[in-house]
Amino acid sequence: MGMGSLTGKTALVTGGSRGIGRAAAERLAKEGALVAVHYGRNEAAAEEVVKAIRAEGGAAFAVKAELGVHGDAETLWSEFDRQALDHGAAAGLDILVNNAGVAPRASIEETTREVFDEVFAVNVRAPFFLTQQGLKRLRDGGRIINVSSGTARIAVPDALAYSMTKGAVEILTRTLAQAVGSRGITVNAVSPGITDTDMTAGMLHGDPAGARMAADMSALGRVGQPGDVADVIAFLASDASRWVTGQVVDASGGSRL
C-alpha cells in the first residue's frame, strides 16, 4: 500500500473479524494503519481478515480475548502489547475502535437476568474498561471511536436491553471526550442503522418483506453496507476529524428521519 492518511499509526478494532468490524479493520489498513483485529472465539474468521489485509499490502494481526468475562481487558491488552512489538510497532496505540457487541432480540417481558447481564457486560462494561486501560497506551492526539446504534434514537421494543447499552455508549462518548480533550484525543461514536451483516442476515436475505421494510426505513432507500459505516469510522480516525469530538455521527442513511 502507498502512503495513506493513517500511515505509521496503530489501531485496534474490537470485534474485527466480521461485519462492520471487519470492514473497519480493512479500511483503516487501507489507509496505512497497522491493525489489531480482535476476536472472541472465531480464530479462523479473524485470520481470514488478517490474510485479506496482507494480500492488499497492509499490515495486521489477530488478537484473541473473550469480552464480558472477568479479566477481559487485561487479556486483550496483554496480547495486543506483545504482538504490536512483534510486528515492529512502537509501544502504544493511536486508534481504538470499540465495535464488539452482542444484540439479543427480546422484549422487556422476554429479557432474563442472564441476557440482561451479558449484553451489558459485553456492550458497556467491556468497552469501558478496555478504554480505561487503553488510555495508558493511547498517544496524545489519538482517536477513540465507539460503535453505537440507531436503536439509541429509534424505539425498538424487542431490543430494549440492547438499546439501553447503546445509550450508555453514547454517554461514555460525550463525557470521555471532555475528560481527555486536554491530551488532544477525540472521542466520537458512529450510529449505524440496519446494516447487511450476519446479524441481520435472517431479516435481509431470508424474508423479502423484511428486506423491503429495512430499505424503506432509510431516506436513501437501501440497506446499509459495512463499508458505508467503515468509511465514517475512517474519517473519525483521520486528522480530517480533528475538530470533531464528543459527537454521535449518524450513519444510518437517514433512517426514520
Side-chain angles (χ1 to χ4, degrees), residues 30-87:
K30 185 176 181 179
E31 290 297 329
L34 167 63
V35 181
V37 178
H38 160 264
Y39 69 99
R41 298 175 183 174
N42 194 337
E43 180 179 7
E47 290 297 344
E48 181 181 328
V49 178
V50 170
K51 184 178 179 180
I53 288 172
R54 291 175 179 172
E56 293 295 321
F61 58 89
V63 175
K64 179 181 181 179
E66 184 175 354
L67 302 184
V69 300
H70 180 72
D72 51 4
E74 291 81 0
T75 297
L76 192 153
W77 285 119
S78 176
E79 186 66 10
F80 170 85
D81 291 342
R82 181 183 67 80
Q83 290 211 53
L85 292 176
D86 287 348
H87 284 79

Side-chain angles (χ1 to χ4, degrees), residues 209-228:
R212 285 193 300 272
M213 180 197 71
D216 289 344
M217 285 179 62
S218 165
L220 300 177
R222 67 172 176 86
V223 172
Q225 297 298 312
D228 295 327

Side-chain angles (χ1 to χ4, degrees), residues 139-154:
R139 285 181 268 272
D140 290 356
R143 301 283 186 265
I144 299 173
I145 302 153
N146 300 318
V147 177
S148 182
S149 167
T151 62
R153 172 176 63 86
I154 302 166

Side-chain angles (χ1 to χ4, degrees), residues 216-255:
D216 289 344
M217 285 179 62
S218 165
L220 300 177
R222 67 172 176 86
V223 172
Q225 297 298 312
D228 295 327
V229 183
D231 283 349
V232 179
I233 291 173
F235 163 70
L236 293 174
S238 74
D239 186 61
S241 69
R242 61 192 175 276
W243 202 233
V244 179
T245 195
Q247 303 304 304
V248 178
V249 181
D250 188 285
S252 72
S255 290

